Every structure is written in C-alpha cells, then in structure tokens.
Amino acid sequence: MEELKKKISFIVNGEQVSLEVDIRTSLLEVLRNELHLTGVKQGCGVGECGACTVLIDGEPIDSCIYLAVWADGKHITTIEGLAKNGKLSKVQEAYVDEGAIQCGFCTPGLVLTTTALVEKGEHLTDEEIKREISGHFCRCTGYQKIFAAVKKVLENK
Ligand code: FES
Ligand code: FES
C-alpha cells in the first residue's frame, strides 16, 4: 500500500514546526488538532465561508481545502501570531474600536484577510474592499461594522 504519511516542516507564527502528517489531512486539521491553534475556525469545511483563513506566505488561504503537505517549507500566520508582547495588532484594534465582533467566529479569518490587505499597502475603493472581504461569511451579519474596521485600518496606514 502506498505510504500515506509524510514529514513536513513549516514556520507558523515565527516558529519552526516539523511533524509527520497523513497526506490526506488538511492544514486546518493540523493547525487545530496537532498544533492546538484553535483560533483557526472550521465552518463549512468546503472553501466557502472563510472561517478557516490563514496567511500562507502572506496570502489569505482557506486552510480547510489546503492539504497540510502543501504547506511544507512555507510561512503560516494564524490569528495567534498577530498580537506582539500582549499588544493587539493595528488590524485587531480597528475591529475592537469599530465593534466589528459579535460571536467572533468569523473574526480570525477576516482579521487575517485584512492584515494581508494592509501589508500589501493597497488603496482600495469601498467596492474593492467589499469584494476583498466577500469570501467571509458572518453569521451574525455584522458586515457594516466589519467594513468600517477594514476601511479604518486601510486609511490610517
Ligand atoms: S471552513 Fe474553510 S472556507 Fe469554510
Ligand atoms: S461575528 Fe459571529 S459570525 Fe461573524
């Protein structure tokens, strides 16, 4: 039978990690179940809701449909990696300031997508902001405040 295990290494939130994974395992499962990074949320599990978003080499990716083996050699950022020395990132602060958090289930993914936009230094129109965050579903439907938080942090850059 073909070998179903593979050893992989990647950097997550600045720390080198090496582990053996089943080649069929998603990155979401490895982050939550093996590395206990439970800020990464599982919603739909099929790449539709954005709850499982992490940054891979700076790009927002749905980790539920991304195999763990594809992350070999890459840099991953989860929500746990944003605050430094107990201080929230600018993006996290903007979400708090704008009251853009209700149950919080969609928040890690949205904050990471927003972080990627800030790091790219893009100047976006309102329509472009909406398009950029359209891959995230908020079941509490707090979209106006989420939009305000993204706009605030992009404009204050
Ligand atoms: S859980 Fe990955 S996109 Fe919904
Ligand atoms: S704050 Fe509850 S799903 Fe968005």
Side-chain angles (χ1 to χ4, degrees):
M1 191 176 127
E2 198 184 338
E3 181 56 72
L4 294 177
K5 296 269 187 192
K6 185 166 186 256
K7 186 148 187 234
I8 59 170
S9 298
F10 50 74
I11 293 175
V12 60
N13 300 331
E15 285 193 24
Q16 180 81 41
V17 174
S18 296
L19 71 175
E20 191 173 71
V21 296
D22 186 307
I23 59 172
R24 299 162 294 184
T25 308
S26 70
L27 181 60
L28 169 68
E29 292 171 296
V30 167
L31 292 173
R32 283 186 60 89
N33 302 338
E34 308 284 333
L35 303 179
H36 310 297
L37 294 167
T38 53
V40 189
K41 301 300 181 207
Q42 169 150 17
C44 65
V46 293
E48 294 291 338
C49 75
C52 63
T53 300
V54 298
L55 301 184
I56 300 181
D57 291 342
E59 289 298 326
I61 300 287
D62 292 329
S63 62
C64 69
I65 53 169
Y66 190 96
L67 289 175
V69 291
W70 295 343
D72 192 29
K74 300 210 160 50
H75 283 73
I76 299 164
T77 305
T78 71
I79 194 73
E80 288 88 348
L82 293 189
K84 302 284 180 230
N85 302 319
K87 185 168 171 12
L88 295 179
S89 72
K90 257 189 341 186
V91 174
Q92 288 172 307
E93 275 178 0
Y95 273 71
V96 173
D97 290 348
E98 293 299 322
I101 305 158
Q102 294 180 74
C103 79
F105 197 82
C106 68
T107 311
L110 272 157
V111 166
L112 286 162
T113 291
T114 309
T115 299
L117 292 175
V118 170
E119 286 180 358
K120 284 179 191 159
E122 302 203 32
H123 297 281
L124 302 177
T125 65
D126 289 1
E127 283 316 304
E128 287 168 334
I129 291 174
K130 287 177 191 166
R131 196 167 58 235
E132 291 290 343
I133 62 173
S134 64
H136 294 269
F137 296 168
C138 175
R139 289 176 292 185
C140 303
T141 67
Y143 292 110
Q144 295 291 351
K145 291 183 173 185
I146 292 166
F147 171 76
V150 179
K151 196 167 158 72
K152 177 186 171 108
V153 75
L154 286 178
E155 286 180 353
N156 285 351
K157 215 178 126 15

